[in-house]
């Protein structure tokens, strides 16, 4: 039986939420600039995690995850900006931001563990 890849699953579910958020922002809030930025950064997290599955080396694996880490961090920035500019309610923000925080913690943990395993 194949082991479930939690980060792959969570990043894909997060990307779906980001696409839905993008649609909400452009249709309901008529916001077209920040919505495009968050769509790009929020969906690229999962794409980089998928790329890391086929990395050519441990260093390449870490590099791809580091890019995913930067992308989720950028996404958190856009979420915060959308929140303080009242495009997202506090409840909407807290819901999706908690998912983003969970993902950045998972990615960071994987990077740290992989680096330790290389050094041992």
């Amino acid at each position: 039986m194949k082991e479930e890849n939690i980060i792959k699953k969570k990043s894909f579910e997060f990307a779906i939420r980001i696409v839905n958020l993008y649609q909400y922002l452009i249709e309901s809030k008529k916001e077209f600039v920040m919505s495009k930025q968050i769509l790009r950064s929020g969906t690229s997290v999962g794409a980089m995690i998928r790329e890391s599955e086929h990395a050519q080396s441990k260093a390449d694996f870490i590099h791809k995850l580091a890019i995913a880490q930067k992308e989720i961090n950028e996404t958190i920035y856009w979420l915060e900006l959308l929140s303080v500019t009242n495009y997202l309610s506090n409840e909407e923000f807290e819901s999706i931001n908690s998912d983003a925080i969970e993902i950045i913690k998972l990615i960071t943990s994987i990077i740290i563990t992989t680096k330790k395993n290389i050094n041992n």
Side-chain angles (χ1 to χ4, degrees), residues 21 25 34 38 78-88:
L21 174 60
L25 288 169
M34 290 182 287
I38 201 165
W78 292 117
L79 288 170
E80 290 170 354
L81 191 57
L82 287 164
S83 177
V84 298
T85 55
N86 298 315
Y87 284 103
L88 294 178

Side-chain angles (χ1 to χ4, degrees), residues 31-91:
E31 198 302 305
F32 301 102
V33 178
M34 290 182 287
S35 58
K36 191 65 123 176
Q37 293 286 357
I38 201 165
L39 178 67
R40 287 183 181 134
S41 65
T43 56
S44 70
V45 176
M48 291 310 301
I49 288 167
R50 289 284 179 104
E51 278 193 46
S52 76
E53 289 183 309
H54 298 285
Q56 296 175 335
S57 65
K58 289 286 185 192
D60 188 36
F61 176 78
I62 291 168
H63 176 72
K64 288 181 185 338
L65 285 183
I67 294 170
Q69 186 181 45
K70 290 175 185 178
E71 294 293 338
I72 194 69
N73 195 46
E74 179 184 340
T75 302
I76 292 167
Y77 169 81
W78 292 117
L79 288 170
E80 290 170 354
L81 191 57
L82 287 164
S83 177
V84 298
T85 55
N86 298 315
Y87 284 103
L88 294 178
S89 69
N90 193 45
E91 192 174 300

Side-chain angles (χ1 to χ4, degrees), residues 58 62 111-120:
K58 289 286 185 192
I62 291 168
I111 291 170
I112 290 168
T113 301
T114 304
K115 284 180 178 180
K116 283 181 184 174
N117 290 339
I118 289 172
N119 294 330
N120 289 340

